[in-house]
Amino acid sequence: FWINQDGENAILHVYQIIDELARRYSIDRNRIYLTGNSMGGCGTWGAIWHRPDYFAAAIPVAGTVSGKQYTEPRIESDFLKLKDTPIWAWNCAEDTVITPDGARAAYQVLKEHGMRYSEVTHTQELKTNPHGLSRAKAFTPNGLFPNETNWELYDWLFSQTR
């Protein structure tokens, strides 16, 4: 889904758009942040994989770093290319849509380089599915009330620069 019908990596167009916006407007190139949920979480991993030096920080949510959308294999030593990219990944342990296995593998390699990883557990009391729970928990402190904010996440994000 991140490769178009012509075999191009669609994420390359995102870089072109950001570069054009930076030429037109006053954008601090050292403070460009990236986040995405589900397919966007996979795209976040793909974007930082393709250009690990481009973004100041990344928050992939309910995404993975392996799958059909990537052409190169993912082995543990490959993750070291991301060691200088601040990453805080969020996944739900019971997510069956996009399992947390890829993010867990990345974390095992990158935790000594500062990667943060939060894995939430689904409970029957929550009226959401496991795939949506990681997004809810990442951006709101208790995952239930959208008018609350997870300030720890935002404080971490905005403290990052390239």
Side-chain angles (χ1 to χ4, degrees), residues 120-142:
V120 297
T121 303
H122 186 260
T123 64
Q124 293 304 322
E125 299 131 31
L126 298 174
K127 304 240 186 277
T128 185
N129 65 58
H131 186 60
L133 183 60
S134 50
R135 180 194 73 246
K137 287 289 198 175
F139 295 104
T140 62
N142 61 14

Side-chain angles (χ1 to χ4, degrees), residues 2-10 13:
W2 288 102
I3 307 294
N4 70 18
Q5 66 270 16
D6 298 325
E8 296 176 308
N9 187 333
H13 298 291

Side-chain angles (χ1 to χ4, degrees), residues 87-147:
I87 302 166
W88 189 344
W90 290 75
N91 289 84
C92 180
E94 296 88 2
D95 193 339
T96 58
V97 176
I98 299 178
T99 66
D101 298 338
R104 285 178 186 153
Y107 178 68
Q108 289 306 310
V109 175
L110 296 172
K111 63 185 172 185
E112 67 187 54
H113 298 285
M115 179 182 167
R116 295 183 74 170
Y117 180 66
S118 295
E119 187 168 291
V120 297
T121 303
H122 186 260
T123 64
Q124 293 304 322
E125 299 131 31
L126 298 174
K127 304 240 186 277
T128 185
N129 65 58
H131 186 60
L133 183 60
S134 50
R135 180 194 73 246
K137 287 289 198 175
F139 295 104
T140 62
N142 61 14
L144 298 175
F145 302 105
N147 60 337

Side-chain angles (χ1 to χ4, degrees), residues 4 10-12 18 22 41-42 49 52 70-71 83 86 92 100 108 114 116-117 121 125 140 144 156 161:
N4 70 18
I11 203 68
L12 299 178
I18 294 171
C42 296
W49 186 268
Y70 302 108
T71 56
K83 70 180 177 61
C92 180
Q108 289 306 310
R116 295 183 74 170
Y117 180 66
T121 303
E125 299 131 31
T140 62
L144 298 175
W156 172 85
T161 60

Side-chain angles (χ1 to χ4, degrees), residues 32-50:
I32 298 175
Y33 306 105
L34 181 64
T35 188
N37 179 65
S38 189
M39 186 187 297
C42 296
T44 298
W45 280 112
I48 61 174
W49 186 268
H50 184 72

